[in-house]
Amino acid sequence: MSEENLKIADIIFAYIKGTITDSELGELTAWMDAAEDHRELFQQIMTSASYQNKETVYRRFDSYYDFDCLKGAIRKRKRSVWKYVAAAAVIVLPLLVSFLLQIKQEGIFPEERMREISLLPGKSLATLTLSDGSSRVLSLENFDLIDGSKRIVNDPDGLSYQVEDTSICGEIAYNEITVPRGGEYKVTLDDGTRIWLNSESYIRFPVVFQGDERRIWVSGEVFLEVTKDAERPFIVNTEKLNIKVLGTQFNVRAYPDEKCIQTTLVEGSVQVDNLRGKVAVLLPSEQLVYDALDGNHEVREVDTELYVSWKDGVYVFVSQRLEDIMSLISKWYDVDVFYQNSAVKDIIFSGRLKRYENAETLLRVFERLGGVKFSVQGKTVIVEDE
């Protein structure tokens, strides 16, 4: 291995260990700009590698720590030699992109490529519809009101339902929360269950849970921390699935414009009924993917961070199609996406985006990796091949 490549390998390995410096990052980006082979290497990694177990990758990276061989493998593109590229580099680019997205170092991106891309993030915004049909816009403004037996309090931590008079019984009153594109909101229900609502999402729920179950209705994407109650199971209804729990943490993604519904379990256990008589029980780190077109579902083990980190202010992408990434961005940043060439939809990228930052940095990194360019006209992101 040449001295130059050894140095680059050392820099990348330093990043894997979490010890990379800003100056080393500058050297790494300069190396990427120096030759098409370097850029091609990263492009091939992105389209071939799958990011699974970090410890395994580290061990295999040690075994194939030779960038000259990696470049040779790219040129040859033969037989099973590519497994060495994937083994050595599967961890490198996702982590590199993550690091690039967390700093804004002057001079990283050439001036000629700094076209204006301004995508401002969403904010806490929703509409509350009360049991009498009246509505109120929700933001960070403090207020409280009464609906039936509940005192509803809104503050910077979201909406919460507090009992005023537990002796009041009668017809169940329902409230609804609708979150628009570019919005999000949090609500704490009567039983203490906390719900995070993502952009373009909706929930309907009783002001006070009565009877032997706790049932709500959702559309879009929500994360739930369900308060345990062995006597009253918590049931989440979507258009195609019913999810039954006693106390747990899980994410539901059920957008009407997406053909699949995802239920991702972080903690506890849930029972999922697809309304066609098929039932599945999920364990922690398992995800059920339901195909709304054919009615079938699949259970798989996943890294839950990839599906629930949005509630903590971060989007994590690992080997995802550009179209899927841009679909998420369009909801949170309230923009439409137009593809001049549909082929770019299938380009695979990895990255990390802080939810409350301009999306420009993420799109610039994708441009640097090659194969795609972005521009913004009004509320539309235009995607074209490079």
Side-chain angles (χ1 to χ4, degrees):
M1 183 187 299
S2 70
E3 183 177 349
E4 177 190 2
N5 285 340
L6 178 60
K7 185 176 184 181
I8 293 299
D10 285 340
I11 290 174
I12 293 176
F13 199 61
Y15 174 70
I16 293 175
K17 294 186 296 182
T19 59
I20 193 169
T21 66
D22 288 358
S23 62
E24 288 173 333
L25 177 65
E27 291 184 63
L28 186 56
T29 54
W31 176 81
M32 290 176 63
D33 288 336
E36 186 61 30
D37 281 350
H38 302 169
R39 188 182 301 276
E40 185 180 1
L41 169 62
F42 283 105
Q43 290 173 335
Q44 291 297 331
I45 292 169
M46 290 302 295
T47 57
S48 301
S50 59
Y51 181 34
Q52 297 293 334
N53 184 285
K54 292 182 181 180
E55 289 73 20
T56 301
V57 174
Y58 291 166
R59 289 194 295 270
R60 297 184 73 180
F61 185 90
D62 285 334
S63 299
Y64 304 108
Y65 196 59
D66 188 334
F67 269 67
D68 289 330
C69 291
L70 294 180
K71 290 195 295 184
I74 286 178
R75 292 192 184 97
K76 293 178 182 178
R77 304 177 189 273
K78 288 182 181 179
R79 302 182 304 277
S80 61
V81 68
W82 182 249
K83 68 182 180 181
Y84 299 112
V85 180
V90 63
I91 189 66
V92 175
L93 194 58
L95 291 177
L96 172 61
V97 174
S98 300
F99 185 82
L100 286 167
L101 294 174
Q102 292 178 32
I103 70 168
K104 293 183 179 178
Q105 180 182 12
E106 215 154 308
I108 287 181
F109 300 108
E111 288 297 323
E112 66 270 18
R113 300 200 62 178
M114 288 302 290
R115 301 179 312 280
E116 181 180 357
I117 298 179
S118 182
L119 298 180
L120 299 180
K123 57 185 177 181
S124 293
L125 181 65
T127 299
L128 169 66
T129 302
L130 300 171
S131 59
D132 63 3
S134 63
S135 61
R136 177 148 188 177
V137 174
L138 302 176
S139 62
L140 297 180
E141 174 190 2
N142 292 341
F143 70 81
D144 62 87
L145 52 85
I146 300 295
D147 191 349
S149 63
K150 298 300 290 187
R151 177 170 177 254
I152 305 173
V153 177
N154 189 70
D155 59 34
D157 196 41
L159 203 66
S160 62
Y161 284 69
Q162 303 171 8
V163 174
E164 281 294 300
D165 186 353
T166 57
S167 66
I168 298 177
C169 296
E171 185 177 349
I172 300 177
Y174 290 90
N175 281 186
E176 300 173 1
I177 297 177
T178 304
V179 179
R181 268 181 133 192
E184 65 174 357
Y185 224 75
K186 289 189 291 186
V187 59
T188 302
L189 302 183
D190 156 61
D191 66 336
T193 292
R194 296 199 297 169
I195 303 178
W196 287 255
L197 289 87
N198 209 343
S199 301
E200 288 192 317
S201 299
Y202 161 90
I203 61 170
R204 180 175 183 264
F205 53 93
V207 173
V208 178
F209 288 114
Q210 298 182 23
D212 57 3
E213 68 177 23
R214 297 168 290 165
R215 185 182 296 267
I216 69 170
W217 291 258
V218 309
S219 176
E221 184 169 29
V222 297
F223 181 89
L224 302 95
E225 288 185 354
V226 177
T227 300
K228 293 183 178 180
D229 186 340
E231 301 300 321
R232 298 188 301 170
F234 196 99
I235 300 172
V236 178
N237 289 110
T238 72
E239 184 180 2
K240 302 290 185 180
L241 299 177
N242 289 339
I243 305 161
K244 182 178 179 180
V245 304
L246 295 177
T248 188
Q249 297 182 24
F250 63 105
N251 194 80
V252 178
R253 184 180 178 94
Y255 283 106
D257 62 343
E258 296 180 355
K259 74 169 188 175
C260 290
I261 299 175
Q262 296 176 348
T263 303
T264 307
L265 183 63
V266 176
E267 180 182 294
S269 66
V270 300
Q271 176 180 301
V272 184
D273 178 355
N274 72 3
L275 306 185
R276 294 190 178 185
K278 297 180 180 179
V279 177
V281 176
L282 300 187
L283 301 176
S285 298
E286 288 186 338
Q287 178 185 77
L288 182 141
V289 180
Y290 172 80
D291 190 323
L293 298 179
D294 62 22
N296 294 320
H297 69 246
E298 171 192 3
V299 176
R300 60 192 184 187
E301 188 171 352
V302 298
D303 179 351
T304 58
E305 182 188 16
L306 304 181
Y307 301 93
V308 307
S309 61
W310 64 268
K311 83 173 183 67
D312 297 318
V314 178
Y315 285 122
V316 180
F317 311 112
V318 174
S319 298
Q320 288 186 235
R321 295 173 63 250
L322 179 62
E323 183 180 26
D324 295 333
I325 296 174
M326 295 306 296
S327 175
L328 184 151
I329 287 176
S330 72
K331 288 178 170 60
W332 178 236
Y333 289 87
D334 188 16
V335 293
D336 296 316
V337 181
F338 175 75
Y339 297 90
Q340 289 193 340
N341 182 349
S342 61
V344 301
K345 295 180 180 180
D346 295 321
I347 298 178
I348 303 299
F349 288 109
S350 294
R352 189 181 185 92
L353 172 64
K354 292 183 179 178
R355 187 168 161 87
Y356 302 104
E357 290 187 352
N358 192 316
E360 176 183 354
T361 308
L362 177 72
L363 301 186
R364 292 302 182 196
V365 170
F366 287 173
E367 286 188 341
R368 172 163 293 278
L369 297 176
V372 65
K373 292 192 299 184
F374 302 91
S375 59
V376 177
Q377 293 185 6
K379 299 286 288 184
T380 300
V381 179
I382 299 171
V383 187
E384 55 187 312
D385 54 357
E386 190 174 32

